[in-house]
């Protein structure tokens, strides 16, 4: 049903688990983890997930692996440091994590331009999802969350300005 959700924490948030999920069934996919960006070799950039002792997987979900996944998500959120960064290729733009999610079928991606703190990011994401749930489009929800943080103890742009939206921005998500 539309209210179904899967939450993978700690050792369950492994690359094997992600690769074996029916990702095309999810409207929103949210990663709250570490990000590793290699601007010289963009295909090495990765989300850092849990190591899987049994399979020997190191836990890095790299750009090339993300490109092989199949998403149909309206929104992928990369709540991880510097996930909007990457290698700038002439005529192509930025090659990195955000682009690989868009290539694999996500309609839009929210990612961060610089290192982000856990508490401020958690506050920001609560506001962002609240506004999404109130039938605001993705761009408006992002804007309203930023305005809320501007009026909070996280008013410095360091806390709210790194979050950017890529891809389709005008659709609304159905939280029923």
């Amino acid at each position: 049903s539309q209210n179904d959700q899967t939450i993978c924490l700690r050792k369950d948030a492994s690359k094997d688990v992600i690769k074996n999920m029916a990702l095309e069934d999810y409207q929103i996919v949210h990663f709250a983890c570490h990000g590793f960006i290699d601007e010289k070799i963009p295909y090495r950039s990765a989300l850092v997930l849990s190591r899987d002792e049994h399979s020997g997987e190191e836990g890095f979900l790299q750009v090339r692996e993300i490109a092989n996944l199949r998403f149909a998500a309206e929104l992928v959120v990369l709540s991880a440091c510097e996930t909007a960064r990457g290698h700038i290729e002439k005529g192509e733009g930025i090659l990195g994590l955000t682009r690989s999610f868009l290539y694999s079928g996500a309609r839009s991606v929210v990612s961060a331009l610089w290192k982000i703190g856990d508490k401020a990011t958690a506050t920001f994401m609560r506001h962002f999802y609240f506004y999404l749930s109130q039938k605001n489009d993705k761009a408006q929800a992002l804007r309203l969350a930023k305005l809320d943080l501007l009026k909070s103890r996280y008013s410095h742009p360091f806390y709210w300005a790194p979050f950017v939206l890529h891809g389709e921005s005008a659709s609304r998500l159905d939280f029923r």
Side-chain angles (χ1 to χ4, degrees):
S1 84
Q2 207 160 2
N3 289 326
D4 287 349
Q5 57 182 299
T6 303
I7 300 171
C8 301
L9 301 172
R10 295 175 179 71
K11 67 181 180 193
D12 293 331
S14 71
K15 190 160 77 169
D16 275 346
V17 169
I18 299 301
K19 284 180 161 183
N20 292 310
M21 290 178 79
L23 294 167
E24 64 275 4
D25 293 344
Y26 293 88
Q27 176 179 218
I28 299 172
V29 179
H30 184 107
F31 291 92
C33 57
H34 293 288
F36 168 76
I37 303 302
D38 189 328
E39 292 182 349
K40 290 187 173 44
I41 308 170
Y43 297 106
R44 288 186 50 197
S45 296
L47 294 176
V48 182
L49 304 175
S50 295
R51 276 186 77 228
D52 191 329
E53 304 286 333
H54 304 295
S55 73
E57 286 282 3
E58 78 292 334
F60 294 100
L61 183 61
Q62 293 183 326
V63 163
R64 59 181 162 67
E65 295 169 304
I66 294 165
N68 290 324
L69 298 174
R70 291 293 155 247
F71 288 88
E74 276 292 323
L75 177 65
V76 171
V77 177
L78 305 178
S79 184
C81 295
E82 301 179 329
T83 48
R85 295 183 57 195
H87 174 76
I88 298 175
E89 186 70 33
K90 286 184 182 174
E92 290 293 320
I94 297 174
L95 303 178
L97 290 165
T98 296
R99 179 173 268 189
S100 64
F101 280 100
L102 292 170
Y103 278 165
S104 62
R107 290 186 47 128
S108 55
V109 179
V110 168
S111 54
L113 291 165
W114 55 76
K115 293 184 187 299
I116 54 178
D118 291 343
K119 289 181 181 174
T121 299
T123 300
F124 179 84
M125 291 299 166
R126 273 194 305 278
H127 288 263
F128 176 61
Y129 282 113
F130 169 77
Y131 288 118
L132 280 176
S133 74
Q134 299 300 303
K135 303 226 184 289
N136 290 287
D137 67 40
K138 295 173 227 176
Q140 184 71 350
L142 192 68
R143 178 182 169 279
L144 291 168
K146 288 180 178 189
L147 289 172
D148 281 357
L149 259 66
L150 194 55
K151 297 180 227 160
S152 76
R153 68 184 182 139
Y154 300 115
S155 62
H156 192 282
F158 172 80
Y159 298 112
W160 52 264
F163 299 103
V164 291
L165 177 65
H166 308 266
E168 190 282 320
S169 62
S171 65
R172 291 170 169 77
L173 285 79
D174 188 359
F175 280 74
R176 280 185 290 142

